[in-house]
Amino acid sequence: MPRSLTRAWFARAAPLVAPELLGRILVRRLPDGTVLRARIVETEAYEPADPASHSFKGPTARNASMFGPPGHLYVYLVYGLHHCLNVVTGPPGRGGAVLLRAGEPLVGHDAMAANRGTAREDRLCSGPARLAQALGVDRSLDGIDLLGSGPLRLHAGRPVPRARITVTRRIGVSTGVDTPWRFVETDSRWSLPSPRV
DNA sequence: TCCCCGATTAACT
DNA sequence: GTTAATCGGGGAG
């Protein structure tokens, strides 16, 4: 397993990258220097041919970074108040991405709690908007390189073995297919409840 | 321009 | 189980 994730690793199809992102480590450096770490436990894949994907109708100002280089960050605002984190996948221009839906807090609980406005550990990073809020990420970080030395980075960590990954349909998607493109670490205390089949 | 509604969350009854 | 909060993208007029 590579010590650090390479550009080529991200340049594959989202449904391939998404399960392999489980167990990886998000490293966030806040403007004041505080370092936060969270271990990814839940992801969802989005591809351009998929009506549920923001890239379905082609590039716009909002989703531009989805069509940028792989391994970069795509941040969007939902419902006018919540931000969500994505990792761009596939070759540049494709429009693939993986939504990071939940994480396990590793380092920086206090700062995460302050960002979230709650100290409840099981609600710090469990949910796409909660994760973004805990890490202090908004649209100002949209498009940054996760492989560089920037304010948000992705470390290789330790991937979750296939046998410990549960696959379900995606959450909150109303349009189109109910493709089984959601991946969670089985029985993780830090992920959200899975939809009934 | 106007209007609808979303890859969500928390606080209700 | 239901609903408000709150913004902006994008299709309709």
Side-chain angles (χ1 to χ4, degrees):
Chain A
M1 129 183 51
R3 169 147 170 65
S4 55
L5 304 175
T6 65
R7 196 72 61 192
W9 188 84
F10 289 99
R12 297 172 298 148
L16 291 180
V17 177
E20 296 181 24
L21 274 171
L22 299 178
R24 312 299 185 166
I25 311 297
L26 278 167
V27 182
R28 165 70 164 137
R29 207 166 79 85
L30 296 176
D32 71 359
T34 306
V35 174
L36 311 177
R37 286 175 176 257
R39 178 175 166 274
I40 299 169
V41 299
E42 177 179 345
T43 61
E44 277 179 3
Y46 287 87
E47 282 285 317
D50 167 12
S53 173
H54 290 173
S55 58
F56 182 60
K57 291 168 186 170
T60 65
R62 177 205 200 191
N63 66 16
S65 51
M66 251 185 121
F67 292 87
H72 284 232
L73 185 67
Y74 167 49
V75 182
Y76 66 87
L77 183 67
V78 259
Y79 299 106
L81 55 164
H82 300 302
H83 293 279
C84 294
L85 299 173
N86 298 256
V87 179
V88 177
T89 58
R94 173 164 175 80
V98 174
L99 172 66
L100 306 182
R101 291 195 53 91
E104 169 184 352
L106 295 180
V107 174
H109 290 66
D110 291 348
M112 289 184 190
N115 286 341
R116 288 274 301 115
T118 176
R120 284 196 53 171
E121 207 181 21
D122 62 336
R123 289 194 189 175
L124 286 184
C125 302
S126 300
R130 291 170 179 170
L131 178 63
Q133 189 178 39
L135 295 178
V137 174
D138 60 23
R139 282 281 288 175
S140 67
L141 292 189
D142 180 57
I144 67 163
D145 188 2
L146 297 172
L147 277 57
S149 53
L152 184 65
R153 306 192 322 245
L154 204 41
H155 287 194
R158 225 183 112 90
V160 173
R162 206 83 206 183
R164 285 186 35 233
I165 297 177
T166 298
V167 183
T168 78
R169 64 178 160 79
R170 294 170 297 181
I171 293 179
V173 173
S174 51
T175 2
V177 295
D178 55 351
T179 317
W181 279 356
R182 174 171 172 267
F183 306 89
V184 298
E185 182 179 30
T186 304
D187 296 330
S188 171
R189 168 192 168 193
W190 308 102
S191 60
L192 298 182
S194 292
R196 284 202 4 129
V197 184

